[in-house]
Amino acid sequence: MTFRARHLLGIEHLAPEEIRTVLDLSEKYVALNQRTEKHSDALKGLTQINMFFENSTRTQASFELAGKRLGADVMNMSVALSSVKKGETLIDTALTLNAMHPDLLVVRHPASGAVDLLAQKVNCAVLNAGDGRHEHPTQALLDALTIRRAKGRIQRLTVAICGDIAHSRVARSNLILLGKMENRVRLIGPPTLMPAGIGEFGCEVYEDMKAGLEGADVVMMLRLQKERMDGGFIPSEREYYHRYGLDAEKLALAKEDAIVMHPGPMNRGVEIDGELADDINRSVIQDQVEMGVAVRMACMDLLARNLRAERGAKAVGVMV
Ligand code: ASP
């Protein structure tokens, strides 16, 4: 098992064998989660604090469940009620929490880079639960696990990522992971929603959705992230759905057994047809949610092992 990381800040810092380690360990947690008794002692005695400066449903709930199933003491810090609202800076908040000796800190923040900054100020393992448009590593890992289970591999696949690429940390983490695992990535969307310099990531860019979907094994749809838009990026939602909304007709251009993914929350009738999203023969959206808990258990388990080893090594050093 190879996993050297001290924090999980982004897919960009992980080597392919570390990604494989997370996915393999996640499989064990998928099996555990399907049992009636779901408990393990992997995080027993450890304290996990979830700090969400931005709204979240799936991610926060699954990190909480993951920590509890592994036996950690889990605290959800409600940012709306905290001193952050009184003007305390991110770093002050982090230092205050650090003084309570957490072992795992799960952070979501609207600013890209905020989680990296915080990781430099605390002495516990930090997990990035989404920072601005930058990265959302556990989402990419759970997507990889979902793909690997559906397709039997996570290499040599053609993956079409479609929609609001410019504002999406999910797209960024996914395209880095899929590239590291030697897949072909196509990005589909209007030029206004395509970030500048995206070609550097080694992916193909399509404005025409139909051309981009042709022969794809995986079709990953993204939400239009209106909260990150400060102007008119699309003419209208109706027009957007017509050109970039996934429906059965457009999906027919992909491979016959292509799977449909979406990280949630979905805008039905804007980026995806509601019926297609619920079609269990094509859509793996609910599997993504299930994999999310297992992947977060695996990530926290691996980071806790490294943390314990590091602290153990230091303690021995002190004794000598
Ligand atoms: N839930 C994902 C995220 O936090 C995707 C989205 O919000 O559209 O980035």
Side-chain angles (χ1 to χ4, degrees):
M1 263 207 188
T2 310
F3 192 83
R4 293 173 222 95
R6 188 172 194 278
H7 304 292
L8 181 63
L9 300 176
I11 299 296
E12 58 192 336
H13 308 298
L14 296 182
E17 64 269 24
E18 292 179 296
I19 294 171
R20 246 173 259 123
T21 296
V22 174
L23 301 186
D24 292 345
L25 183 60
S26 299
E27 286 290 357
K28 299 208 172 105
Y29 285 123
V30 173
L32 180 72
N33 289 339
Q34 286 171 353
R35 297 205 322 232
T36 308
E37 299 295 327
K38 301 174 180 62
H39 282 271
S40 129
D41 280 345
L43 301 184
K44 193 163 175 222
L46 301 186
T47 301
Q48 171 192 338
I49 300 184
N50 298 333
M51 239 171 131
F52 279 67
F53 294 89
E54 225 187 34
N55 289 343
S56 169
T57 313
R58 275 154 291 273
T59 308
Q60 185 166 357
S62 64
F63 265 115
E64 182 176 351
L65 206 52
K68 287 181 172 163
R69 286 187 181 163
L70 296 181
D73 293 316
V74 185
M75 184 190 114
N76 287 311
M77 203 186 107
S78 173
V79 176
L81 300 175
S82 78
S83 297
V84 174
K85 286 275 169 204
K86 298 179 195 154
E88 190 172 83
T89 67
L90 171 68
I91 300 302
D92 284 339
T93 308
L95 293 178
T96 304
L97 288 176
N98 197 45
M100 297 179 194
H101 298 291
D103 304 290
L104 296 153
L105 202 52
V106 179
V107 188
R108 168 169 287 192
H109 198 279
S112 305
V115 185
D116 289 48
L117 185 71
L118 202 137
Q120 293 164 27
K121 306 283 176 195
V122 296
N123 42 28
C124 59
V126 176
L127 291 101
N128 182 0
D131 64 324
R133 308 171 185 192
H134 179 228
E135 279 235 32
H136 193 351
T138 54
Q139 177 73 47
L141 290 163
L142 76 88
D143 288 340
L145 183 63
T146 308
I147 295 172
R148 195 173 80 167
R149 286 171 72 92
K151 295 278 144 205
R153 63 182 198 276
I154 185 71
Q155 284 91 25
R156 301 180 315 281
L157 293 166
T158 301
V159 182
I161 306 180
C162 181
D164 183 359
I165 313 281
H167 301 102
S168 178
R169 53 195 174 208
V170 174
R172 198 164 180 283
S173 288
N174 261 300
L175 72 90
I176 299 172
L177 186 150
L178 292 165
K180 285 190 185 208
M181 305 311 275
E182 292 169 20
N183 296 283
R184 190 167 166 193
V185 181
R186 297 180 184 165
L187 300 179
I188 307 172
T192 47
L193 295 177
M194 204 55 80
I198 196 70
E200 285 166 30
F201 284 92
C203 37
E204 301 157 38
V205 177
Y206 289 84
E207 190 177 337
D208 177 359
M209 187 170 181
K210 292 184 177 160
L213 288 180
E214 231 174 74
D217 296 288
V218 176
V219 182
M220 191 181 287
M221 300 307 298
L222 300 172
R223 182 175 66 91
L224 265 189
Q225 307 213 357
K226 293 180 213 153
E227 75 278 20
R228 298 194 209 287
M229 297 183 186
D230 49 14
F233 284 82
I234 54 162
S236 71
E237 284 185 359
R238 206 162 153 237
E239 170 74 12
Y240 182 81
Y241 182 68
H242 176 67
R243 294 193 60 195
Y244 296 103
L246 187 68
D247 56 14
E249 199 188 317
K250 293 196 192 88
L251 182 62
L253 295 159
K255 281 204 183 133
E256 214 181 321
D257 60 351
I259 54 167
V260 175
M261 306 178 77
H262 193 303
M266 268 185 283
N267 292 310
R268 290 170 186 261
V270 178
E271 67 257 356
I272 190 164
D273 168 55
E275 249 177 64
L276 180 58
D278 297 334
D279 178 357
I280 53 164
N281 296 316
R282 304 309 297 268
S283 161
V284 293
I285 296 171
Q286 293 310 320
D287 299 327
Q288 289 174 270
V289 179
E290 181 183 350
M291 296 309 119
V293 181
V295 158
R296 286 165 182 132
M297 289 166 90
C299 291
M300 291 199 290
D301 177 353
L302 290 164
L303 289 173
R305 291 183 204 197
N306 290 351
L307 189 76
R308 283 187 166 123
E310 190 191 307
R311 288 182 182 166
K314 271 196 194 144
V316 171
V318 170
M319 276 159 62
V320 172

